[in-house]
Amino acid sequence: MSDAPLKQNLRLETELQFVKGIGPKLASVFSKNGIKTVGDFFENYPRAFEDRRAARHISTLKEDDIVSLKASIVNVSSYSMGRSSRKIYDILIKDESAQIRCKFFRVPYKGYFERFKPYQEVRVVGKVTNYRGRLEFHHPELKDVEIENTETAAEDLLVPIYVENEGIASNKIHKLIESAFQQLKEFPPESFPPSLMKSYDLITRAEALQKIHFPDVEFANDYHVFKSKAHRRIIFEEFFWLEMYLAARRSGLKKEKGLLIENKGALARALEKSLPFELTMAQKKSFAEIKTDFRSGQPMNRLVQGDVGSGKTLVSFLTVAEAFESGYQSCLMAPTEILSEQHFKNAQKILTPLGIAVGILTGKTKAKDRILLLEKLISGEIHLLIGTHALIEDWVQFCKLGLVIIDEQHRFGVAQRGLLKNKGQAQNKSPHFLIMTATPIPRTLAMTVYGDLDVSIINEMPKNRIPIQTRVITETKRAQAVKFMIEQIEKGRQAYVVYPLVEESEKIDLKNATNEYEKLKNEFPKVRFGLLHGKMKPIEKDEVMNQFREHKIDILVSTTVIEVGVDVPNANLMMIEHSERFGLSQLHQLRGRVGRGEHKSFCVMIMGYAMSPETRERIEFMEKTNDGFKVAEFDLEIRGPGEFMGVKQSGLPGFKMANLVRDFELLKAARDCAFEIFKSDPDLKRKENQLLREELIKTHGPTALAGIG
């Protein structure tokens, strides 16, 4: 870092345009990526570090190496994959030892490839990938050596590499960050208490930011794997503030009083005896944990996670029976009308014989029916109300709500949980919450997203379940897959064909449900087809689903509206077009729509033409396992937590440096630290915790400390 005198005129909250060398025009470019202030700029961390002290040759490269080397360009070419209009760009480079290809599956910015010509000398920085037995670079950093030598003073540096912003080169970004540091007046006071810093061997935040952008060459190996002291501080911090928020929520919940639900369990036993099968040990264990919560005197906040078809809903019905026997009402909120109706039909079949009256409320419930429903809720005549978001409407009031069940929690926000909670303050005590998800969540993610909940896991499948056979194929074998599907229909089975789009898009070269439905109908006139998608009116969707359940439709052409909640035991084939457009957990959910009956079931995932090797590897993983937890772990590792859960729905912050898989040990340390702080100082009233209290409010808003004092 330069020894130029500080200009003493910037603070972390200063707008980026006031940094010398940036101005309004460049600031607007950075702003598109959420970088608006000096503080944001310092948190624009390097994605890698280039060690120019260690010269590498192509012949010495190994898979997963992150390297920097000089080479000359042999050839620059591009080609399309199959019938797609999308191009793959291929730059062949060589040095005195060997050749290697640099492949790009998307264009970084306009004019990027026009810069490179044969015989041009370039520096290549990137990760070495093994694709089908051949080493390649995928999306490496390429830089003209002549330009590099004029812009960079020395070769013996550990140089940070930043994501380029609309043609603003990495070295330019580095110089601007240096300029911002030189103009910074001061860093805010350190928020971590000295005792915390010492216990976890952390350097200050100010020191960490400087060392990340201007690294110590001495610790080059630690920088390459994001384990330097600077990285450790920032990663710990990102985890810590999330865990502090979760610890605050949990501390507040522990102070609340919960309804005491304690009885002889006669109804739950009667329900269990009425079943044509025995509960799995995992189901029994989960229900036992729920009963312990009911008797604790504190409100239950428990997550039950299990694979598709593992029997979570049945456990929730046992829980409803337990609440009903103690005189309390229950409600079950699901994300879609289809899933709500599925739960309603199952509840009527299983719970009504026990004397438990079940009602349903969705967006399509008529006004006169809503009035009658409200009367029965207030009088206590309805014991279980099932519905969608409509349950949180102001007019919905209960007589004695004791249990709230939420299905597919990651589709709802914390605020929606709070609205339901307020409907159940019976005896000035909070209702019990049971959260269900059929999306198995790796423990790393569960510790972050659901850190304020106790977790029960149903990891056994019913004994009569036949494993689903999965095959991943390319578009070239689609005709064979369709032929196999028709053969299954001729045997009396039913099938799903799922597309990522409803209608044709000019921007995306993909098949769509509407067009393909018409094509299939014309190609196979004797087969009964149905079409289902999210743009249809509720009454139309209901009609199609009822016809499919009653086997008046053989093949249901659909978008992902059938991802959850559709249970048709006779359907034994799921065909997913453009499977590369889906996340693995979503593919697993779709696959779970079959395999529910006595017939052997199949899932065929068809990949489009234009995809990267990484995408192919990701989809082909689905052939290796039917275990949703293994799929989830792999999906998290490949895509990262933001995409895996959907950041907005889950409330999971978009970590700027921390990685849940790579940094799991630091996550555990941050969690232990945060929860220990709240254990010893539940209201954060001690002097040494005052800055922590202020920073928690700044990071998560004024409601972060709600309920803890």
Side-chain angles (χ1 to χ4, degrees), residues 307-310 438 461 465-466 468 470 496 562-569 571-574 576 584-597 601-603 605 622 626 628:
D307 214 336
V308 178
S310 61
M461 298 297 283
R465 278 294 173 99
I466 304 171
I468 302 165
T470 303
Y496 302 92
I562 54 95
E563 182 183 343
V564 291
V566 179
D567 189 358
V568 181
N572 76 325
L573 175 63
M574 166 67 65
I576 306 170
L584 293 194
S585 291
Q586 192 176 32
L587 289 173
H588 184 66
Q589 290 287 323
L590 289 169
R591 176 167 62 182
R593 294 308 99 212
V594 297
R596 293 171 168 264
S601 293
F602 308 89
C603 179
M605 300 181 184
M622 297 299 295
N626 277 311

Side-chain angles (χ1 to χ4, degrees), residues 10 16 19-23 26-27 30 38 41-42 44 162 168-183 213-214:
L10 295 184
L16 198 59
V19 174
K20 184 179 179 181
I22 293 185
L26 272 184
F30 286 113
V38 172
F41 207 30
F42 291 162
N44 179 38
Y162 301 88
I168 306 174
S170 174
N171 60 292
K172 173 72 171 175
I173 294 171
H174 190 226
K175 284 183 178 296
L176 292 173
I177 287 176
E178 182 177 18
S179 176
F181 266 103
Q182 290 170 353
Q183 297 172 72
H213 294 292
F214 308 97

Side-chain angles (χ1 to χ4, degrees), residues 233-275:
R233 162 60 201 243
I234 299 301
I235 292 168
F236 181 93
E237 182 179 285
E238 289 189 345
F239 286 143
F240 177 78
W241 292 120
L242 173 64
E243 294 300 337
M244 282 288 284
Y245 171 69
L246 295 173
R249 280 184 51 78
R250 194 174 183 90
S251 180
L253 292 170
K254 290 295 183 185
K255 291 183 179 181
E256 294 179 7
K257 291 184 178 180
L259 298 165
L260 196 64
I261 296 180
E262 192 170 14
N263 52 63
K264 295 180 180 179
L267 276 179
R269 284 195 299 275
L271 191 162
E272 193 173 344
K273 285 181 182 178
S274 71
L275 300 172

Side-chain angles (χ1 to χ4, degrees), residues 155-171:
E155 285 288 313
D156 59 343
L157 297 174
L158 187 61
V159 180
I161 305 297
Y162 301 88
V163 174
E164 296 190 356
N165 284 267
E166 295 188 21
I168 306 174
S170 174
N171 60 292

Side-chain angles (χ1 to χ4, degrees), residues 437-484:
T437 179
T439 304
I441 301 165
R443 64 186 183 128
T444 48
L445 203 55
M447 283 176 68
T448 54
V449 182
Y450 299 128
D452 56 334
L453 303 174
D454 295 307
V455 179
S456 294
I457 296 176
I458 302 180
N459 53 5
E460 286 180 80
M461 298 297 283
K463 294 177 182 178
N464 60 345
R465 278 294 173 99
I466 304 171
I468 302 165
Q469 185 175 332
T470 303
R471 287 290 176 268
V472 177
I473 64 173
T474 59
E475 182 71 20
T476 55
K477 294 184 178 179
R478 182 178 182 276
Q480 292 173 248
V482 172
K483 182 174 181 274
F484 177 75

Side-chain angles (χ1 to χ4, degrees), residues 231-519:
H231 286 98
R232 177 182 169 82
R233 162 60 201 243
I234 299 301
I235 292 168
F236 181 93
E237 182 179 285
E238 289 189 345
F239 286 143
F240 177 78
W241 292 120
L242 173 64
E243 294 300 337
M244 282 288 284
Y245 171 69
L246 295 173
R249 280 184 51 78
R250 194 174 183 90
S251 180
L253 292 170
K254 290 295 183 185
K255 291 183 179 181
E256 294 179 7
K257 291 184 178 180
L259 298 165
L260 196 64
I261 296 180
E262 192 170 14
N263 52 63
K264 295 180 180 179
L267 276 179
R269 284 195 299 275
L271 191 162
E272 193 173 344
K273 285 181 182 178
S274 71
L275 300 172
F277 52 83
E278 187 179 351
L279 295 177
T280 64
M281 290 304 297
Q283 286 175 310
K284 291 177 180 178
K285 183 174 183 291
S286 295
F287 185 46
E289 290 167 342
I290 289 167
K291 288 193 288 185
T292 299
D293 290 343
F294 277 172
R295 291 156 172 74
S296 70
Q298 293 176 335
M300 174 176 70
N301 282 277
R302 181 167 293 278
L303 170 72
V304 175
Q305 61 166 322
D307 214 336
V308 178
S310 61
K312 298 175 300 301
T313 303
L314 185 54
V315 170
S316 76
F317 287 169
L318 286 165
T319 308
V320 169
E322 194 80 1
F324 173 71
E325 191 169 341
S326 288
Y328 293 106
Q329 293 170 295
S330 303
C331 69
L332 192 164
M333 185 164 74
T336 65
E337 290 181 355
I338 289 177
L339 186 52
S340 296
E341 288 161 6
Q342 189 79 48
H343 284 320
F344 177 64
K345 288 174 182 175
N346 287 334
Q348 280 186 312
K349 185 166 56 178
I350 294 172
L351 296 178
T352 302
L354 300 175
I356 299 174
V358 185
I360 184 169
L361 173 65
T362 66
K364 68 182 183 185
T365 305
K366 295 177 181 178
K368 64 177 182 180
D369 294 329
R370 290 186 174 214
I371 294 170
L372 182 61
L373 197 65
L374 178 60
E375 291 174 357
K376 290 186 176 182
L377 275 176
I378 293 174
S379 67
E381 292 176 67
I382 290 180
H383 309 124
L384 169 63
L385 180 62
I386 296 172
T388 56
H389 295 75
L391 294 186
I392 63 176
E393 292 180 15
D394 291 340
W395 67 269
V396 179
Q397 298 296 324
F398 292 82
C399 169
K400 203 175 180 183
L401 180 64
L403 173 65
V404 176
I405 303 168
I406 299 180
D407 200 3
E408 293 302 324
Q409 153 70 12
H410 64 279
R411 306 231 184 152
F412 299 106
V414 173
Q416 289 162 317
R417 270 165 60 185
L419 289 171
L420 278 174
K421 177 181 175 180
N422 293 335
K423 294 179 183 293
Q425 297 290 333
Q427 305 166 17
N428 293 319
K429 295 179 181 179
S430 297
H432 296 280
F433 271 82
L434 182 67
I435 317 297
M436 300 191 296
T437 179
T439 304
I441 301 165
R443 64 186 183 128
T444 48
L445 203 55
M447 283 176 68
T448 54
V449 182
Y450 299 128
D452 56 334
L453 303 174
D454 295 307
V455 179
S456 294
I457 296 176
I458 302 180
N459 53 5
E460 286 180 80
M461 298 297 283
K463 294 177 182 178
N464 60 345
R465 278 294 173 99
I466 304 171
I468 302 165
Q469 185 175 332
T470 303
R471 287 290 176 268
V472 177
I473 64 173
T474 59
E475 182 71 20
T476 55
K477 294 184 178 179
R478 182 178 182 276
Q480 292 173 248
V482 172
K483 182 174 181 274
F484 177 75
M485 178 172 64
I486 298 302
E487 289 172 358
Q488 292 298 308
I489 300 305
E490 290 171 349
K491 291 178 181 178
R493 306 286 79 78
Q494 291 167 275
Y496 302 92
V497 181
V498 178
Y499 294 88
L501 297 178
V502 178
E503 297 166 344
E504 190 171 1
S505 168
E506 294 180 2
K507 295 181 180 179
I508 307 176
D509 183 22
L510 294 175
K511 293 178 182 176
N512 63 83
T514 307
N515 283 0
E516 297 303 314
Y517 165 71
E518 295 296 337
K519 287 181 185 177

Side-chain angles (χ1 to χ4, degrees), residues 243 246-247 250 451 670-680:
E243 294 300 337
L246 295 173
R250 194 174 183 90
R671 179 179 175 80
D672 291 345
C673 180
F675 276 72
E676 184 58 38
I677 287 170
F678 272 95
K679 184 178 179 181
S680 61

